[in-house]
Amino acid sequence: MHIYLTGATGFIGSRILPLLLDAGHSVTGLTRSGEGARQIEVAGATAYRGTLEDPAGLARGAENADAVIHTAFDHNFANFVENTQRDYRVIEALGEVLNGTARPLIITSGVGIGSRGAGAIATEDFTDWDNPNPRIATEKAGQALLDRGVSVGVVRLPQVHNIERAGLISPLTDIFVAQGAAGYGGDGSARWPAAHVDDVAQLYVLALEKHRAGIKWNAVAEEGVASKDIAAVLAAGLGLPLRAVSDDQLGEFFGWMAAFAAHDMAASSDWTRRTLGWNPQGPKLLDDLRAMFERSPAG
């Protein structure tokens, strides 16, 4: 197949691209820059220039594709709400191109959207349409297209990591440095699911091969890592004290991340693993965080 891959030079997309090529697909990769175009072409794919700010222009890259994998997203989490609304518009535009065809569109969301409530483990078979997480906009955009007959599937992400980046934990590190302490909300038992970026990239390829309209996949290798354990590793790596943050201090300490800080986000991938034959093998989250500091020591 010929695949249109948005975010082709991004953290996850740049790992998906070679896997698609190795599987025998041809790829057009979206990029906003000349350097990104060179990276895509060196990898053996075709570059297409576009931006998230121009959804219609971005979507034109899908006109000749047999399938679309959409991973592009603005990861400036300080503007998270605005960025999710932009994602809605991009997905809407991609749907306009694919409408009336059976061509798959695989979009990217977060595992928390599949939670039934506080402390419940998120699963693939549930969607909380009233979820306060702004990322619900992504799934609402996908559902609107699905209702119109577009063949949409969703990959739901946890904290995706390697020794360079780790989802929300990377900006969390900056907050800890600014606060002079590594904090955790409540008793630190809130869980954050995780998966190594290479395992996540493999899941996208498997999801394409076994795509069905309306299907949702949880890209989860670890069901939940306690927030206190995450903070403890960051405290050791940064040379900061470890601190419990009470509920009434979450906003002051964590700022824009307060909504996530003490929120239990555990998620299962049992169904995804069985259905796809996906068997994540990458390093664990805490191991990658430790290796991150060994690679670039604090101070």
Side-chain angles (χ1 to χ4, degrees):
M1 291 191 293
H2 182 67
I3 313 301
Y4 180 47
L5 174 64
T6 76
T9 60
F11 184 50
I12 298 173
S14 64
R15 274 83 176 177
I16 297 172
L17 176 57
L19 294 179
L20 290 172
L21 295 172
D22 288 347
H25 304 294
S26 61
V27 179
T28 293
L30 174 73
T31 180
R32 64 166 57 237
S33 70
E35 177 56 32
R38 285 188 288 273
Q39 292 176 23
I40 291 168
E41 289 163 0
V42 166
T46 301
Y48 178 83
R49 297 285 290 273
T51 70
L52 296 171
E53 292 75 24
D54 178 17
L58 178 156
R60 282 195 289 272
E63 289 177 349
N64 297 315
D66 298 309
V68 177
I69 299 177
H70 173 48
T71 68
F73 189 79
D74 185 342
H75 287 94
N76 178 1
F77 289 106
N79 296 324
F80 192 39
V81 174
E82 178 183 339
N83 295 339
T84 58
Q85 293 303 316
R86 183 182 294 119
D87 195 45
Y88 187 104
R89 293 190 291 272
V90 168
I91 292 168
E92 193 174 45
L94 288 166
E96 288 295 325
V97 173
L98 300 177
N99 196 19
T101 77
R103 292 180 288 169
L105 168 60
I106 298 174
I107 63 175
T108 303
S109 182
V111 291
I113 303 303
S115 174
R116 289 173 169 82
I121 295 177
T123 56
E124 302 91 338
D125 62 344
F126 180 75
T127 302
D128 176 10
W129 295 111
D130 296 318
N131 196 300
N133 185 334
R135 198 69 197 252
I136 191 63
T138 293
E139 300 223 13
K140 287 182 176 179
Q143 185 62 46
L145 294 182
L146 194 65
D147 291 343
R148 292 167 53 194
V150 179
S151 187
V152 178
V154 183
V155 173
R156 290 172 168 171
L157 299 181
Q159 306 306 308
V160 181
H161 60 87
N162 64 3
I163 62 171
E164 297 174 349
R165 291 177 57 179
L168 286 172
I169 298 167
S170 293
L172 184 64
T173 301
D174 296 333
I175 291 172
F176 288 173
V177 170
Q179 293 289 359
Y184 57 88
D187 63 0
S189 63
R191 298 162 294 174
W192 288 15
H196 190 272
V197 65
D198 291 341
D199 289 323
V200 172
Q202 183 63 53
L203 186 147
Y204 274 93
V205 178
L206 293 171
L208 175 67
E209 293 171 351
K210 296 193 176 183
H211 173 79
R212 299 196 307 270
I215 204 162
K216 297 175 182 180
W217 312 102
N218 277 0
V220 173
E222 294 181 88
E223 188 172 279
V225 182
S227 59
K228 185 176 181 179
D229 293 339
I230 294 170
V233 170
L234 296 181
L238 295 167
L240 296 173
L242 183 63
R243 172 185 166 190
V245 181
S246 62
D247 289 348
D248 62 351
Q249 295 176 320
L250 290 176
E252 179 181 351
F253 186 92
F254 289 100
W256 63 267
M257 202 182 286
F260 299 102
H263 185 55
D264 190 74
M265 299 186 285
S268 168
S269 62
D270 289 347
W271 183 84
T272 292
R273 294 185 194 221
R274 291 195 309 269
T275 306
L276 292 180
W278 181 60
N279 184 25
Q281 298 291 313
K284 303 297 186 184
L285 172 62
L286 296 183
D287 291 336
D288 263 355
L289 293 179
R290 293 187 186 100
M292 188 181 299
F293 289 110
E294 291 170 2
R295 177 173 176 266
S296 180

